[in-house]
Amino acid sequence: MTVAVSLIVLLAVLGSSIAVAAGMGITGLILNQLYSPLPLTRVMGELAWATTNNFILTAIPFYIMFGEILLRSGIAERMYSALIQWLSWLPGGLMHSNIGACALFGSVSGSSVATAATIGVVAMGEIDKHKYNERLFLGTLAAGGTLGILIPPSINMIIYGVMTDTSVPKLYLAGFIPGLILTVLFSLTVLIACLWRPHWGGQKVPTNWEARIRLLPDLLPPLVLLMVVVGAIFFGIATATESAAVGIVGALAITAWRRRLTLAMLIEVCEATVRTTAMVVAILVGAFFLNIVIQTIGLTQQLSRLITAYQLTPVQVLTAVIVLYLVLGTFMEELSMMISTIPITTPLILQAGYDPVWYGILIVLLIQTAMVTPPFGINLFVIQGIRGRGRLSDVEWGAAPFVIALLLMIGLICVFPEIAMWLPRLVG
Amino acid sequence: MAHLHRIVHGVSRVGAIVGGAMLMLAAIVICVDVTMRYAFARTLGGADELSGYALAIASAWGFSSALLSRSHIRIDTVYVRVGSRARATLDLLSLACFVLFIALVAWHGWGVLQQSWVSGSRSMNELETPLVIPQALWVAGLVFFVAVALLLLVRALPLYLAGDLRRLFDLIGSKSAVAEAEEEIRAIEHAIEGERKP
């Protein structure tokens, strides 16, 4: 009964377009009034202070800031030109460069929207220049961009880690191999499509070894940053937050080297970072409060009792959760979907015997899928916005083959959890 | 009233920029700390503590900046499917709920601050920061948010009653995801433009 009422209240509040942060807080207040013997509002102050003044969470503004600086450092365009030389000989041409550039930029950026938008802006002009199949080309950008949150660093993994008390470095390690496999799967999707319909692949771009070698230095800045930021975590030299801080200094250095470090640029970076951070932190404060109310009124225990009562097997629980996310993901904004559901789904999955690190990777893959499935898929909007012509449905159709690749990847890590778990276990 | 609105905009912008600068500074200090620890096996100490305060203060002051730029996420599945009068009602409801929630957080945050003042609490790290300093800045940011949100409510209510919905949406309407995406893109295009020029 409590379960049903709680869900209805949450859906009604969030559905009536109340800002998600406030909505979760208000839902917490209502449930507290209805079911809790104690007035939990008293813990609000302590909770809000402890939540926002949390060293692990500092990684969130740091990665946001890191991305904002990189965006303005001018590395994306040069990186893309270099990748054209290296990858465009494959059937599908530049579409492989799109995916490669997204993977590489994603490996220094913690956000999917930023990845899709940055590579999208750089690549968009090439569709007409080389007569590509527009839909598929747009699809590579929308889907490739989602790699930003799977390949570490990842803002979504930090949020998951903090909310579920899971080690963020372990999550990063776990995301690495699935990220590589998914990149290859995306490229294979393009390859298969272009072997089936060769004219989709556009005109060949002339490439040669001389240019490949000459442009190699343009690939270096992102690679070096990647090694520093992710390497430091892998080898246990720095925590996720510390490595993000090192990344900021590195990105500032690159920007200065490119002579693009100005006061105006720094002010832009600071303002944009704080705005995005505040938006995320507001939601987290609401979610943490709701989480405490949910725990106090025993909602999770009731849910698990329900599962026991219906004698659901672990696989059935997992399937139900995956279907839930696929459905929610079609119409809900991805970040709020993740934060509002994690407190409910994670205990269920853990009780069913799955590993929290593995589940974190699964959630990220499900969110990636949500980002490219209509009607609400943020990456579809981003790519359509950059394109600035035609219909949104072109991007939706173009992304469809990559949704299949994503579903395949979800199936793969469910059947072979080792894909995600091998690296974290190896490092310890 | 419009004058007050401009002042509030300015203060909130400065708050966000200063907050961002604090975070950047924290990042630099941490970077120095990590390098020293790695190279000389010594640390400055307290860098992590300071960055925690930077996050708390920057995000409290950023709440209002995000509110004024309508960046707080709202789920608009229903919102986009109802008439404009109903949309305006939902906008007011959303803002009122936000005021209520953050006002409660600020009220209890004030309690936390008072407690630290009375008991003279200091942080449990090597810095032994008197907690009232970061907490006061944090509560001030929350209180400022409540003031900004109330001001927006006071400005939006007459617009609602007068039926001037277009201006109301400009003030407190939910920005669609498409508009949100377009802003992101403009920022990136602006950033990349700079690269092409020289």
Side-chain angles (χ1 to χ4, degrees):
Chain A
M1 186 56 199
T2 321
V3 174
V5 172
S6 308
L7 281 179
I8 290 169
V9 172
L10 184 65
L11 283 179
V13 170
L14 292 187
S16 52
S17 87
I18 291 171
V20 174
M24 283 197 271
I26 298 286
T27 307
L29 288 177
I30 295 173
L31 295 184
N32 177 39
Q33 279 300 325
L34 288 177
Y35 298 112
S36 169
L38 309 159
L40 288 169
T41 45
R42 280 196 199 149
V43 304
M44 254 181 175
E46 212 32 81
L47 183 77
W49 171 249
T51 307
T52 49
N53 143 50
N54 173 329
F55 183 60
I56 306 176
L57 276 185
T58 321
I60 294 177
F62 283 178
Y63 281 119
I64 293 172
M65 182 172 277
F66 183 40
E68 293 284 343
I69 298 171
L70 279 184
L71 207 71
R72 294 171 174 84
S73 68
I75 65 167
E77 203 168 37
R78 285 155 178 269
M79 189 181 85
Y80 188 74
S81 322
L83 280 174
I84 289 179
Q85 287 293 324
W86 282 92
L87 293 176
S88 69
W89 54 274
L90 288 158
L94 291 182
M95 291 189 276
H96 297 285
S97 318
N98 291 348
I99 293 167
C102 283
L104 198 56
F105 196 81
S107 70
V108 285
S109 155
S111 144
S112 282
V113 171
T115 306
T118 309
I119 306 304
V121 167
V122 174
M124 200 57 77
E126 309 289 336
I127 299 177
D128 293 342
K129 227 192 273 173
H130 301 288
K131 309 228 172 342
Y132 278 96
N133 176 282
E134 193 167 6
R135 287 183 169 180
L136 193 64
F137 195 95
L138 297 168
T140 59
L141 292 170
T146 68
L147 290 168
I149 58 168
L150 180 60
I151 303 180
S154 160
I155 292 169
N156 297 59
M157 285 186 199
I158 299 171
I159 295 175
Y160 174 85
V162 171
M163 291 187 77
T164 61
D165 245 331
T166 309
S167 144
V168 176
K170 277 199 175 154
L171 286 166
Y172 279 9
L173 285 169
F176 211 69
I177 295 177
L180 283 180
I181 296 180
L182 189 59
T183 308
V184 173
L185 280 180
F186 282 167
S187 250
L188 271 179
T189 310
V190 172
L191 205 68
I192 292 168
C194 290
L195 287 176
W196 180 48
R197 290 271 189 277
H199 62 276
W200 285 359
Q203 297 157 343
K204 275 259 175 293
V205 180
T207 56
N208 56 61
W209 278 101
E210 192 249 325
R212 278 180 200 165
I213 305 294
R214 187 167 44 80
L215 290 177
L216 211 50
D218 287 338
L219 287 177
L220 280 183
L223 282 177
V224 169
L225 279 177
L226 166 72
M227 305 254 269
V228 171
V229 172
V230 182
I233 301 173
F234 279 16
F235 296 109
I237 297 169
T239 63
T241 311
E242 287 168 347
S243 86
V246 175
I248 288 182
V249 175
L252 283 175
I254 288 180
T255 318
W257 176 51
R258 289 266 153 83
R259 294 168 191 284
R260 305 205 45 191
L261 193 67
T262 60
L263 187 63
M265 175 255 177
L266 285 177
I267 288 178
E268 264 177 49
V269 165
C270 286
E271 205 183 351
T273 303
V274 169
R275 202 171 273 170
T276 313
T277 304
M279 183 271 285
V280 177
V281 167
I283 296 181
L284 281 175
V285 171
F288 276 100
F289 177 63
L290 178 58
N291 204 4
I292 285 204
V293 176
I294 284 178
Q295 280 168 11
T296 312
I297 65 179
L299 198 71
T300 5
Q301 289 93 315
Q302 288 198 19
L303 263 177
S304 8
R305 266 203 298 278
L306 264 179
I307 287 173
T308 327
Y310 285 102
Q311 295 185 323
L312 293 178
T313 63
V315 175
Q316 284 170 326
V317 175
L318 183 64
T319 314
V321 167
I322 292 177
V323 170
L324 170 82
Y325 277 109
L326 290 176
V327 172
L328 283 182
T330 56
F331 64 87
M332 229 175 133
E333 196 278 327
E334 287 78 18
L335 184 74
S336 15
M337 167 175 93
M338 180 178 133
I339 296 178
S340 59
T341 54
I342 280 178
I344 301 166
T345 61
T346 315
L348 293 182
I349 288 288
L350 298 194
Q351 205 204 14
Y354 294 99
D355 186 282
V357 173
W358 174 84
Y359 184 57
I361 303 303
L362 180 68
I363 288 225
V364 169
L365 282 168
L366 288 164
I367 290 168
Q368 285 182 273
T369 313
M371 285 172 160
V372 286
T373 41
F376 193 105
I378 190 73
N379 277 23
L380 303 172
F381 300 148
V382 168
I383 295 304
Q384 172 62 18
I386 298 173
R387 180 184 176 216
R389 67 177 190 202
R391 300 169 64 87
L392 179 65
S393 63
D394 294 330
V395 191
E396 293 170 357
W397 279 111
F402 302 98
V403 173
I404 297 174
L406 271 162
L407 293 176
L408 188 67
M409 188 69 218
I410 291 171
L412 274 177
I413 78 151
C414 288
V415 180
F416 307 106
E418 281 305 304
I419 295 173
M421 297 310 294
W422 180 71
L423 209 50
R425 282 204 186 118
L426 190 73
V427 178
Chain B
M1 194 68 117
H3 186 60
L4 191 61
H5 195 85
R6 266 199 303 280
I7 294 175
V8 161
H9 248 283
V11 173
S12 131
R13 201 163 162 242
V14 170
I17 294 169
V18 172
M22 280 170 62
L23 284 166
M24 198 178 275
L25 202 66
I28 294 171
V29 174
I30 290 177
C31 185
V32 171
D33 200 35
V34 171
T35 322
M36 278 179 61
R37 195 178 63 209
Y38 186 59
F40 313 110
R42 293 181 54 177
T43 72
L44 295 173
D48 47 353
E49 188 187 332
L50 289 177
S51 71
Y53 300 148
L55 172 62
I57 297 164
S59 47
W61 282 90
F63 287 164
S64 53
S65 171
L67 183 72
L68 287 169
S69 61
R70 298 184 288 144
S71 308
H72 285 291
I73 295 177
R74 296 168 60 184
I75 293 170
D76 56 8
T77 316
V78 175
Y79 184 85
V80 293
R81 284 174 178 74
V82 295
S84 52
R85 191 84 204 173
R87 270 212 306 274
T89 315
L90 288 175
D91 287 335
L92 284 175
L93 179 71
S94 172
L95 188 58
C97 285
F98 223 147
V99 173
L100 175 67
F101 178 58
I102 301 290
L104 264 172
V105 174
W107 175 253
H108 292 286
W110 176 255
V112 171
L113 173 64
Q114 229 171 12
Q115 188 64 39
S116 302
W117 177 257
V118 171
S119 58
S121 314
R122 285 168 180 272
S123 68
M124 285 184 281
N125 304 49
E126 54 267 71
L127 289 184
E128 296 190 6
T129 319
L131 281 175
V132 286
I133 300 173
Q135 283 173 349
L137 289 168
W138 169 68
V139 172
L142 296 177
V143 171
F144 182 68
F145 172 91
V146 175
V148 171
L150 283 175
L151 178 72
L152 282 178
L153 259 185
V154 169
R155 292 203 71 191
L157 213 54
L159 294 176
Y160 181 75
L161 295 176
D164 191 352
L165 299 184
R166 203 177 47 78
R167 283 178 59 199
L168 180 137
F169 293 139
D170 281 345
L171 207 57
I172 62 168
S174 176
K175 224 191 286 180
S176 70
V178 177
E180 197 78 50
E182 272 161 8
E183 266 181 28
E184 181 90 7
I185 294 155
R186 267 199 302 279
I188 288 170
E189 277 171 343
H190 169 70
I192 287 176
E193 255 341 66
E195 171 74 356
R196 283 179 182 151
K197 257 182 249 155

